[in-house]
Amino acid sequence: MKAIGSLLDQNKPDFKKSLENSQNLLHKFGKLADETKLGGGIKNIEKQHEKGKLTARERIEKLIDPDTEFLEIGLFAANGMYQEEGGAVSAGVVVAIAQVSGKLCLIVANDATVKAGAWFPMTCKKNLRAQEISIENHLPIIYLVDSAGVYLPMQDEIFPDKEHFGRIFRNNAVMSAAGIPQLAAIMGPCVAGGAYLPIMSDEALIVEGTGHVFLAGSALVEAAIGEKTDNEALGGARVHSEISGVTDYKMPNDDACIAELRSLMSKIGRGNHNHFDRIEAKSPKFPADDLLALIPQDRAKPYDMYEVLARIVDGGEVDEYKADYGKTIITAYARIDGWAVGIVANQRAVVKNAKGEMQVGGVIYSDSADKSARFIMNCNQKHIPLIFFQDVTGFMVGTRSEHGGIIKDGAKMVNAVANSVVPKFTFIVGNSNGAGNYAMCGKAYDPRLIFSWPTSQISVMGGAQASKTMLSIRLASMKKAGGEISAEDQRSMLAEINNRYNEQTGPLYAAARLWTDGIIDPRHTRQIISTGIAVADHVPEIPKFNVGVIQV
């Protein structure tokens, strides 16, 4: 066991500058989070209350266990998107990992204050992400349904493809076959294809007066077959609880419905746990507040990743694997909130190998890729969850690296990550560039959860290199057409390209598109890891680990 980290000098200019930058970013995203949680706004919340209905967030707060908090997935989904349609705050749905009646579960709640809970393309993607988490972790799921159905002007982007609306109901069936409990409460409209979601769940509750479920509403019925009716007579609580038998429980109001959901959840068996080792937790050796001062504002500036880890792992202690080899990636066994974990983290400090050669921090070299691949395989052999801390600028390039087989060694690491069967959790703390994103378990490599710090940036290459490359392409095109560009115009064009590129690589842009599950306060990292492993511990069994052909 090795102690890592040291006390930081809070009077150093670098400390103060980095702290101020992180605090400013947290304030910015915190303010945006508060605005986002209002959904469609105060007026629409009041309209929901006038109908005798709670909002999505109010329902969740009443559903979860007292004095507990939930981990939200995709808070910033669809941020800045669909502006021509008036926007779709948080994609019109709230997704939460929470404890209900003493059991961890996933909650999916339509937000009827946002376009009456209508489904936009990102709504579908967010619901599929929720089901993915449930399936991967064998986690019970509760649907709180209150939706007008597909947003018709964008039906071509949500209806027919494999990852569109129909996939939701396919997943309902697959989850049921896998023995994953699904409960649904119809607390508002539930229309057309969307009607299948609650009815394909194990049990469906419906609220009198506000809950309606039907394949076609009264207006469409009249237009289609000439029958005059109203929504209550067509598909209200009495109809489906007493006549059709479609729903299983008729509830007088939202509060009673939530109480019944809690009662039903309390009776679900706990299943098989104890796949992953846990002992009594120790606090980190150094304060979590320091995490706000450790990531430099200047992305090119080095820092010591050991200092970050010392403020996350129990007791600031690790068992480091191959500590003196491949030093641009740290591989270590540790405990986080008592859970045994394997850590793969980019070291951003400049290091020297045994040959006396300097290696740039944040870059993956052949030796660090080789070491990481072996460590990841070891963790799978021992059933130890993997935690990735990304601040990677990519793989080393150049003649020497190519001749040394960097592609082969990188492929070995990517293979190990791709075929890993233990739970993986990824935190993007700084840069996440190019193939380094893949090797360090980016979204394409199925991390159970993936969050970014406010200081993160995801891009195919660094902003300066990308902007200059794009400028060169544009200038070549203009010159080919016979245009002359002054130096001042070139500077202006470069600034425009750089600003747009930086916006597209920032953490909010990624969170809006669900490339990540959200932007978090770095001080919450430890608790999110603990919750994630507790959720992952629901799986009945861990599949056999097999990497196939390894490049040697």
Side-chain angles (χ1 to χ4, degrees), residues 344-378:
V344 182
N346 299 112
Q347 170 61 293
R348 280 299 311 273
V350 176
V351 298
K352 185 185 291 187
N353 66 17
K355 298 177 182 178
E357 301 165 333
M358 304 303 292
Q359 292 184 332
V360 181
V363 176
I364 302 176
Y365 291 78
S366 281
D367 54 0
S368 50
D370 183 69
K371 174 179 80 169
S372 300
R374 175 67 181 274
F375 179 74
I376 290 164
M377 289 188 280
N378 285 352

PDB file of all heavy atoms in Angstrom, residues 344-378:
ATOM      1  N   VAL A 344      -7.607   3.707 -13.629  1.00  0.00           N
ATOM      2  CA  VAL A 344      -6.793   3.992 -14.814  1.00  0.00           C
ATOM      3  C   VAL A 344      -6.908   5.499 -15.044  1.00  0.00           C
ATOM      4  O   VAL A 344      -7.980   5.996 -15.372  1.00  0.00           O
ATOM      5  CB  VAL A 344      -7.290   3.222 -16.051  1.00  0.00           C
ATOM      6  CG1 VAL A 344      -6.398   3.513 -17.258  1.00  0.00           C
ATOM      7  CG2 VAL A 344      -7.340   1.726 -15.768  1.00  0.00           C
ATOM      8  N   ALA A 345      -5.802   6.220 -14.830  1.00  0.00           N
ATOM      9  CA  ALA A 345      -5.859   7.684 -14.857  1.00  0.00           C
ATOM     10  C   ALA A 345      -4.689   8.255 -15.642  1.00  0.00           C
ATOM     11  O   ALA A 345      -3.539   7.832 -15.454  1.00  0.00           O
ATOM     12  CB  ALA A 345      -5.847   8.249 -13.428  1.00  0.00           C
ATOM     13  N   ASN A 346      -4.978   9.215 -16.499  1.00  0.00           N
ATOM     14  CA  ASN A 346      -3.909   9.891 -17.235  1.00  0.00           C
ATOM     15  C   ASN A 346      -3.100  10.769 -16.291  1.00  0.00           C
ATOM     16  O   ASN A 346      -3.644  11.592 -15.570  1.00  0.00           O
ATOM     17  CB  ASN A 346      -4.491  10.775 -18.345  1.00  0.00           C
ATOM     18  CG  ASN A 346      -5.279   9.991 -19.362  1.00  0.00           C
ATOM     19  OD1 ASN A 346      -6.491  10.126 -19.460  1.00  0.00           O
ATOM     20  ND2 ASN A 346      -4.594   9.152 -20.135  1.00  0.00           N
ATOM     21  N   GLN A 347      -1.793  10.569 -16.298  1.00  0.00           N
ATOM     22  CA  GLN A 347      -0.899  11.433 -15.525  1.00  0.00           C
ATOM     23  C   GLN A 347      -0.535  12.647 -16.365  1.00  0.00           C
ATOM     24  O   GLN A 347      -0.024  12.516 -17.471  1.00  0.00           O
ATOM     25  CB  GLN A 347       0.365  10.656 -15.120  1.00  0.00           C
ATOM     26  CG  GLN A 347       1.478  11.495 -14.514  1.00  0.00           C
ATOM     27  CD  GLN A 347       1.099  12.207 -13.238  1.00  0.00           C
ATOM     28  OE1 GLN A 347       0.253  13.114 -13.260  1.00  0.00           O
ATOM     29  NE2 GLN A 347       1.715  11.829 -12.132  1.00  0.00           N
ATOM     30  N   ARG A 348      -0.828  13.842 -15.869  1.00  0.00           N
ATOM     31  CA  ARG A 348      -0.580  15.054 -16.649  1.00  0.00           C
ATOM     32  C   ARG A 348       0.779  15.691 -16.365  1.00  0.00           C
ATOM     33  O   ARG A 348       1.168  16.647 -17.022  1.00  0.00           O
ATOM     34  CB  ARG A 348      -1.700  16.069 -16.406  1.00  0.00           C
ATOM     35  CG  ARG A 348      -2.966  15.776 -17.205  1.00  0.00           C
ATOM     36  CD  ARG A 348      -2.719  15.815 -18.710  1.00  0.00           C
ATOM     37  NE  ARG A 348      -2.012  17.005 -19.100  1.00  0.00           N
ATOM     38  CZ  ARG A 348      -2.585  18.171 -19.388  1.00  0.00           C
ATOM     39  NH1 ARG A 348      -3.901  18.272 -19.341  1.00  0.00           N
ATOM     40  NH2 ARG A 348      -1.874  19.217 -19.727  1.00  0.00           N
ATOM     41  N   ALA A 349       1.502  15.172 -15.382  1.00  0.00           N
ATOM     42  CA  ALA A 349       2.855  15.681 -15.134  1.00  0.00           C
ATOM     43  C   ALA A 349       3.816  15.122 -16.182  1.00  0.00           C
ATOM     44  O   ALA A 349       3.615  14.024 -16.708  1.00  0.00           O
ATOM     45  CB  ALA A 349       3.313  15.279 -13.738  1.00  0.00           C
ATOM     46  N   VAL A 350       4.840  15.886 -16.509  1.00  0.00           N
ATOM     47  CA  VAL A 350       5.897  15.393 -17.395  1.00  0.00           C
ATOM     48  C   VAL A 350       6.719  14.369 -16.612  1.00  0.00           C
ATOM     49  O   VAL A 350       7.097  14.605 -15.460  1.00  0.00           O
ATOM     50  CB  VAL A 350       6.800  16.543 -17.875  1.00  0.00           C
ATOM     51  CG1 VAL A 350       7.949  16.015 -18.725  1.00  0.00           C
ATOM     52  CG2 VAL A 350       5.992  17.566 -18.662  1.00  0.00           C
ATOM     53  N   VAL A 351       6.968  13.194 -17.220  1.00  0.00           N
ATOM     54  CA  VAL A 351       7.674  12.117 -16.516  1.00  0.00           C
ATOM     55  C   VAL A 351       8.903  11.690 -17.311  1.00  0.00           C
ATOM     56  O   VAL A 351       9.079  12.059 -18.481  1.00  0.00           O
ATOM     57  CB  VAL A 351       6.733  10.904 -16.290  1.00  0.00           C
ATOM     58  CG1 VAL A 351       5.558  11.287 -15.421  1.00  0.00           C
ATOM     59  CG2 VAL A 351       6.249  10.325 -17.621  1.00  0.00           C
ATOM     60  N   LYS A 352       9.758  10.907 -16.670  1.00  0.00           N
ATOM     61  CA  LYS A 352      10.968  10.399 -17.320  1.00  0.00           C
ATOM     62  C   LYS A 352      10.969   8.875 -17.197  1.00  0.00           C
ATOM     63  O   LYS A 352      10.726   8.332 -16.110  1.00  0.00           O
ATOM     64  CB  LYS A 352      12.209  10.980 -16.645  1.00  0.00           C
ATOM     65  CG  LYS A 352      13.529  10.609 -17.324  1.00  0.00           C
ATOM     66  CD  LYS A 352      14.723  11.114 -16.538  1.00  0.00           C
ATOM     67  CE  LYS A 352      14.831  12.631 -16.582  1.00  0.00           C
ATOM     68  NZ  LYS A 352      16.094  13.107 -15.942  1.00  0.00           N
ATOM     69  N   ASN A 353      11.201   8.179 -18.305  1.00  0.00           N
ATOM     70  CA  ASN A 353      11.244   6.718 -18.233  1.00  0.00           C
ATOM     71  C   ASN A 353      12.626   6.237 -17.819  1.00  0.00           C
ATOM     72  O   ASN A 353      13.550   7.044 -17.613  1.00  0.00           O
ATOM     73  CB  ASN A 353      10.784   6.082 -19.553  1.00  0.00           C
ATOM     74  CG  ASN A 353      11.723   6.372 -20.717  1.00  0.00           C
ATOM     75  OD1 ASN A 353      12.880   6.770 -20.533  1.00  0.00           O
ATOM     76  ND2 ASN A 353      11.238   6.170 -21.932  1.00  0.00           N
ATOM     77  N   ALA A 354      12.794   4.913 -17.709  1.00  0.00           N
ATOM     78  CA  ALA A 354      14.044   4.346 -17.206  1.00  0.00           C
ATOM     79  C   ALA A 354      15.230   4.624 -18.133  1.00  0.00           C
ATOM     80  O   ALA A 354      16.384   4.563 -17.705  1.00  0.00           O
ATOM     81  CB  ALA A 354      13.884   2.849 -16.990  1.00  0.00           C
ATOM     82  N   LYS A 355      14.928   4.929 -19.395  1.00  0.00           N
ATOM     83  CA  LYS A 355      15.988   5.252 -20.354  1.00  0.00           C
ATOM     84  C   LYS A 355      16.396   6.711 -20.282  1.00  0.00           C
ATOM     85  O   LYS A 355      17.269   7.157 -21.039  1.00  0.00           O
ATOM     86  CB  LYS A 355      15.524   4.925 -21.776  1.00  0.00           C
ATOM     87  CG  LYS A 355      15.216   3.447 -21.997  1.00  0.00           C
ATOM     88  CD  LYS A 355      14.693   3.226 -23.422  1.00  0.00           C
ATOM     89  CE  LYS A 355      14.324   1.771 -23.647  1.00  0.00           C
ATOM     90  NZ  LYS A 355      13.767   1.553 -25.010  1.00  0.00           N
ATOM     91  N   GLY A 356      15.739   7.469 -19.403  1.00  0.00           N
ATOM     92  CA  GLY A 356      16.051   8.879 -19.274  1.00  0.00           C
ATOM     93  C   GLY A 356      15.316   9.766 -20.259  1.00  0.00           C
ATOM     94  O   GLY A 356      15.584  10.963 -20.352  1.00  0.00           O
ATOM     95  N   GLU A 357      14.356   9.184 -20.987  1.00  0.00           N
ATOM     96  CA  GLU A 357      13.596   9.945 -21.982  1.00  0.00           C
ATOM     97  C   GLU A 357      12.402  10.639 -21.327  1.00  0.00           C
ATOM     98  O   GLU A 357      11.697  10.058 -20.499  1.00  0.00           O
ATOM     99  CB  GLU A 357      13.090   9.008 -23.084  1.00  0.00           C
ATOM    100  CG  GLU A 357      14.202   8.278 -23.818  1.00  0.00           C
ATOM    101  CD  GLU A 357      13.680   7.106 -24.635  1.00  0.00           C
ATOM    102  OE1 GLU A 357      12.636   6.533 -24.274  1.00  0.00           O
ATOM    103  OE2 GLU A 357      14.346   6.742 -25.628  1.00  0.00           O
ATOM    104  N   MET A 358      12.180  11.891 -21.720  1.00  0.00           N
ATOM    105  CA  MET A 358      11.047  12.642 -21.190  1.00  0.00           C
ATOM    106  C   MET A 358       9.775  12.240 -21.936  1.00  0.00           C
ATOM    107  O   MET A 358       9.777  12.079 -23.158  1.00  0.00           O
ATOM    108  CB  MET A 358      11.283  14.147 -21.332  1.00  0.00           C
ATOM    109  CG  MET A 358      12.562  14.650 -20.679  1.00  0.00           C
ATOM    110  SD  MET A 358      12.674  14.272 -18.923  1.00  0.00           S
ATOM    111  CE  MET A 358      11.383  15.327 -18.278  1.00  0.00           C
ATOM    112  N   GLN A 359       8.693  12.088 -21.189  1.00  0.00           N
ATOM    113  CA  GLN A 359       7.395  11.768 -21.787  1.00  0.00           C
ATOM    114  C   GLN A 359       6.380  12.823 -21.359  1.00  0.00           C
ATOM    115  O   GLN A 359       6.318  13.209 -20.185  1.00  0.00           O
ATOM    116  CB  GLN A 359       6.928  10.377 -21.352  1.00  0.00           C
ATOM    117  CG  GLN A 359       7.789   9.251 -21.920  1.00  0.00           C
ATOM    118  CD  GLN A 359       7.259   7.867 -21.561  1.00  0.00           C
ATOM    119  OE1 GLN A 359       6.607   7.682 -20.535  1.00  0.00           O
ATOM    120  NE2 GLN A 359       7.543   6.891 -22.408  1.00  0.00           N
ATOM    121  N   VAL A 360       5.592  13.291 -22.322  1.00  0.00           N
ATOM    122  CA  VAL A 360       4.650  14.377 -22.091  1.00  0.00           C
ATOM    123  C   VAL A 360       3.407  13.866 -21.364  1.00  0.00           C
ATOM    124  O   VAL A 360       2.797  12.873 -21.780  1.00  0.00           O
ATOM    125  CB  VAL A 360       4.236  15.032 -23.432  1.00  0.00           C
ATOM    126  CG1 VAL A 360       3.255  16.188 -23.177  1.00  0.00           C
ATOM    127  CG2 VAL A 360       5.473  15.526 -24.168  1.00  0.00           C
ATOM    128  N   GLY A 361       3.017  14.544 -20.306  1.00  0.00           N
ATOM    129  CA  GLY A 361       1.833  14.146 -19.555  1.00  0.00           C
ATOM    130  C   GLY A 361       0.572  14.240 -20.399  1.00  0.00           C
ATOM    131  O   GLY A 361       0.430  15.133 -21.232  1.00  0.00           O
ATOM    132  N   GLY A 362      -0.350  13.307 -20.187  1.00  0.00           N
ATOM    133  CA  GLY A 362      -1.606  13.303 -20.930  1.00  0.00           C
ATOM    134  C   GLY A 362      -1.539  12.560 -22.241  1.00  0.00           C
ATOM    135  O   GLY A 362      -2.565  12.342 -22.887  1.00  0.00           O
ATOM    136  N   VAL A 363      -0.346  12.142 -22.656  1.00  0.00           N
ATOM    137  CA  VAL A 363      -0.162  11.407 -23.910  1.00  0.00           C
ATOM    138  C   VAL A 363      -0.015   9.916 -23.582  1.00  0.00           C
ATOM    139  O   VAL A 363       0.635   9.554 -22.609  1.00  0.00           O
ATOM    140  CB  VAL A 363       1.085  11.914 -24.667  1.00  0.00           C
ATOM    141  CG1 VAL A 363       1.318  11.083 -25.930  1.00  0.00           C
ATOM    142  CG2 VAL A 363       0.935  13.386 -25.010  1.00  0.00           C
ATOM    143  N   ILE A 364      -0.632   9.079 -24.400  1.00  0.00           N
ATOM    144  CA  ILE A 364      -0.507   7.632 -24.219  1.00  0.00           C
ATOM    145  C   ILE A 364       0.633   7.132 -25.102  1.00  0.00           C
ATOM    146  O   ILE A 364       0.588   7.268 -26.328  1.00  0.00           O
ATOM    147  CB  ILE A 364      -1.807   6.901 -24.581  1.00  0.00           C
ATOM    148  CG1 ILE A 364      -2.975   7.419 -23.723  1.00  0.00           C
ATOM    149  CG2 ILE A 364      -1.647   5.397 -24.380  1.00  0.00           C
ATOM    150  CD1 ILE A 364      -4.321   6.811 -24.084  1.00  0.00           C
ATOM    151  N   TYR A 365       1.668   6.567 -24.483  1.00  0.00           N
ATOM    152  CA  TYR A 365       2.806   5.991 -25.193  1.00  0.00           C
ATOM    153  C   TYR A 365       2.621   4.471 -25.261  1.00  0.00           C
ATOM    154  O   TYR A 365       1.732   3.908 -24.611  1.00  0.00           O
ATOM    155  CB  TYR A 365       4.113   6.322 -24.467  1.00  0.00           C
ATOM    156  CG  TYR A 365       4.498   7.783 -24.526  1.00  0.00           C
ATOM    157  CD1 TYR A 365       3.876   8.721 -23.705  1.00  0.00           C
ATOM    158  CD2 TYR A 365       5.494   8.231 -25.392  1.00  0.00           C
ATOM    159  CE1 TYR A 365       4.230  10.062 -23.745  1.00  0.00           C
ATOM    160  CE2 TYR A 365       5.864   9.575 -25.438  1.00  0.00           C
ATOM    161  CZ  TYR A 365       5.223  10.479 -24.610  1.00  0.00           C
ATOM    162  OH  TYR A 365       5.581  11.806 -24.651  1.00  0.00           O
ATOM    163  N   SER A 366       3.478   3.810 -25.988  1.00  0.00           N
ATOM    164  CA  SER A 366       3.374   2.354 -26.120  1.00  0.00           C
ATOM    165  C   SER A 366       3.451   1.655 -24.778  1.00  0.00           C
ATOM    166  O   SER A 366       2.685   0.723 -24.495  1.00  0.00           O
ATOM    167  CB  SER A 366       4.476   1.822 -27.044  1.00  0.00           C
ATOM    168  OG  SER A 366       4.143   2.035 -28.400  1.00  0.00           O
ATOM    169  N   ASP A 367       4.378   2.103 -23.921  1.00  0.00           N
ATOM    170  CA  ASP A 367       4.530   1.426 -22.633  1.00  0.00           C
ATOM    171  C   ASP A 367       3.314   1.625 -21.734  1.00  0.00           C
ATOM    172  O   ASP A 367       2.857   0.697 -21.063  1.00  0.00           O
ATOM    173  CB  ASP A 367       5.819   1.859 -21.923  1.00  0.00           C
ATOM    174  CG  ASP A 367       5.956   3.361 -21.755  1.00  0.00           C
ATOM    175  OD1 ASP A 367       5.057   4.115 -22.192  1.00  0.00           O
ATOM    176  OD2 ASP A 367       6.978   3.806 -21.169  1.00  0.00           O
ATOM    177  N   SER A 368       2.736   2.830 -21.735  1.00  0.00           N
ATOM    178  CA  SER A 368       1.561   3.070 -20.877  1.00  0.00           C
ATOM    179  C   SER A 368       0.324   2.355 -21.411  1.00  0.00           C
ATOM    180  O   SER A 368      -0.503   1.871 -20.630  1.00  0.00           O
ATOM    181  CB  SER A 368       1.290   4.576 -20.734  1.00  0.00           C
ATOM    182  OG  SER A 368       1.260   5.235 -21.969  1.00  0.00           O
ATOM    183  N   ALA A 369       0.209   2.235 -22.749  1.00  0.00           N
ATOM    184  CA  ALA A 369      -0.909   1.485 -23.328  1.00  0.00           C
ATOM    185  C   ALA A 369      -0.788   0.005 -22.992  1.00  0.00           C
ATOM    186  O   ALA A 369      -1.775  -0.655 -22.627  1.00  0.00           O
ATOM    187  CB  ALA A 369      -0.949   1.679 -24.845  1.00  0.00           C
ATOM    188  N   ASP A 370       0.416  -0.527 -23.098  1.00  0.00           N
ATOM    189  CA  ASP A 370       0.663  -1.932 -22.804  1.00  0.00           C
ATOM    190  C   ASP A 370       0.358  -2.235 -21.333  1.00  0.00           C
ATOM    191  O   ASP A 370      -0.308  -3.229 -21.008  1.00  0.00           O
ATOM    192  CB  ASP A 370       2.117  -2.259 -23.131  1.00  0.00           C
ATOM    193  CG  ASP A 370       2.448  -3.724 -22.936  1.00  0.00           C
ATOM    194  OD1 ASP A 370       1.955  -4.552 -23.709  1.00  0.00           O
ATOM    195  OD2 ASP A 370       3.203  -4.034 -21.984  1.00  0.00           O
ATOM    196  N   LYS A 371       0.843  -1.376 -20.449  1.00  0.00           N
ATOM    197  CA  LYS A 371       0.589  -1.559 -19.012  1.00  0.00           C
ATOM    198  C   LYS A 371      -0.897  -1.510 -18.709  1.00  0.00           C
ATOM    199  O   LYS A 371      -1.424  -2.347 -17.951  1.00  0.00           O
ATOM    200  CB  LYS A 371       1.330  -0.476 -18.220  1.00  0.00           C
ATOM    201  CG  LYS A 371       1.008  -0.484 -16.731  1.00  0.00           C
ATOM    202  CD  LYS A 371       1.770   0.588 -15.965  1.00  0.00           C
ATOM    203  CE  LYS A 371       1.170   1.956 -16.085  1.00  0.00           C
ATOM    204  NZ  LYS A 371       1.770   2.915 -15.126  1.00  0.00           N
ATOM    205  N   SER A 372      -1.592  -0.536 -19.283  1.00  0.00           N
ATOM    206  CA  SER A 372      -3.015  -0.355 -19.005  1.00  0.00           C
ATOM    207  C   SER A 372      -3.833  -1.551 -19.459  1.00  0.00           C
ATOM    208  O   SER A 372      -4.762  -1.995 -18.763  1.00  0.00           O
ATOM    209  CB  SER A 372      -3.525   0.914 -19.683  1.00  0.00           C
ATOM    210  OG  SER A 372      -2.835   2.043 -19.203  1.00  0.00           O
ATOM    211  N   ALA A 373      -3.500  -2.077 -20.637  1.00  0.00           N
ATOM    212  CA  ALA A 373      -4.226  -3.249 -21.150  1.00  0.00           C
ATOM    213  C   ALA A 373      -4.100  -4.418 -20.183  1.00  0.00           C
ATOM    214  O   ALA A 373      -5.090  -5.094 -19.857  1.00  0.00           O
ATOM    215  CB  ALA A 373      -3.696  -3.633 -22.528  1.00  0.00           C
ATOM    216  N   ARG A 374      -2.903  -4.656 -19.709  1.00  0.00           N
ATOM    217  CA  ARG A 374      -2.669  -5.764 -18.768  1.00  0.00           C
ATOM    218  C   ARG A 374      -3.422  -5.513 -17.459  1.00  0.00           C
ATOM    219  O   ARG A 374      -4.035  -6.431 -16.897  1.00  0.00           O
ATOM    220  CB  ARG A 374      -1.177  -5.894 -18.517  1.00  0.00           C
ATOM    221  CG  ARG A 374      -0.807  -6.939 -17.466  1.00  0.00           C
ATOM    222  CD  ARG A 374      -1.122  -8.366 -17.897  1.00  0.00           C
ATOM    223  NE  ARG A 374      -0.776  -9.297 -16.844  1.00  0.00           N
ATOM    224  CZ  ARG A 374       0.438  -9.826 -16.675  1.00  0.00           C
ATOM    225  NH1 ARG A 374       1.425  -9.503 -17.521  1.00  0.00           N
ATOM    226  NH2 ARG A 374       0.672 -10.673 -15.696  1.00  0.00           N
ATOM    227  N   PHE A 375      -3.407  -4.291 -16.963  1.00  0.00           N
ATOM    228  CA  PHE A 375      -4.092  -3.971 -15.701  1.00  0.00           C
ATOM    229  C   PHE A 375      -5.602  -4.157 -15.832  1.00  0.00           C
ATOM    230  O   PHE A 375      -6.259  -4.704 -14.938  1.00  0.00           O
ATOM    231  CB  PHE A 375      -3.769  -2.530 -15.292  1.00  0.00           C
ATOM    232  CG  PHE A 375      -4.445  -2.093 -14.019  1.00  0.00           C
ATOM    233  CD1 PHE A 375      -4.009  -2.562 -12.797  1.00  0.00           C
ATOM    234  CD2 PHE A 375      -5.518  -1.216 -14.052  1.00  0.00           C
ATOM    235  CE1 PHE A 375      -4.624  -2.167 -11.613  1.00  0.00           C
ATOM    236  CE2 PHE A 375      -6.148  -0.810 -12.880  1.00  0.00           C
ATOM    237  CZ  PHE A 375      -5.696  -1.292 -11.653  1.00  0.00           C
ATOM    238  N   ILE A 376      -6.159  -3.715 -16.948  1.00  0.00           N
ATOM    239  CA  ILE A 376      -7.604  -3.866 -17.183  1.00  0.00           C
ATOM    240  C   ILE A 376      -7.982  -5.342 -17.210  1.00  0.00           C
ATOM    241  O   ILE A 376      -9.005  -5.754 -16.641  1.00  0.00           O
ATOM    242  CB  ILE A 376      -8.009  -3.153 -18.496  1.00  0.00           C
ATOM    243  CG1 ILE A 376      -7.897  -1.639 -18.317  1.00  0.00           C
ATOM    244  CG2 ILE A 376      -9.420  -3.547 -18.935  1.00  0.00           C
ATOM    245  CD1 ILE A 376      -7.898  -0.856 -19.615  1.00  0.00           C
ATOM    246  N   MET A 377      -7.147  -6.165 -17.843  1.00  0.00           N
ATOM    247  CA  MET A 377      -7.403  -7.607 -17.870  1.00  0.00           C
ATOM    248  C   MET A 377      -7.304  -8.197 -16.466  1.00  0.00           C
ATOM    249  O   MET A 377      -8.099  -9.066 -16.090  1.00  0.00           O
ATOM    250  CB  MET A 377      -6.432  -8.298 -18.834  1.00  0.00           C
ATOM    251  CG  MET A 377      -6.727  -7.975 -20.298  1.00  0.00           C
ATOM    252  SD  MET A 377      -5.755  -8.940 -21.488  1.00  0.00           S
ATOM    253  CE  MET A 377      -4.198  -8.062 -21.456  1.00  0.00           C
ATOM    254  N   ASN A 378      -6.369  -7.716 -15.668  1.00  0.00           N
ATOM    255  CA  ASN A 378      -6.244  -8.194 -14.288  1.00  0.00           C
ATOM    256  C   ASN A 378      -7.504  -7.879 -13.478  1.00  0.00           C
ATOM    257  O   ASN A 378      -7.983  -8.712 -12.702  1.00  0.00           O
ATOM    258  CB  ASN A 378      -5.035  -7.541 -13.610  1.00  0.00           C
ATOM    259  CG  ASN A 378      -3.712  -8.114 -14.072  1.00  0.00           C
ATOM    260  OD1 ASN A 378      -3.676  -9.101 -14.802  1.00  0.00           O
ATOM    261  ND2 ASN A 378      -2.622  -7.483 -13.668  1.00  0.00           N
TER     262      ASN A 378
END
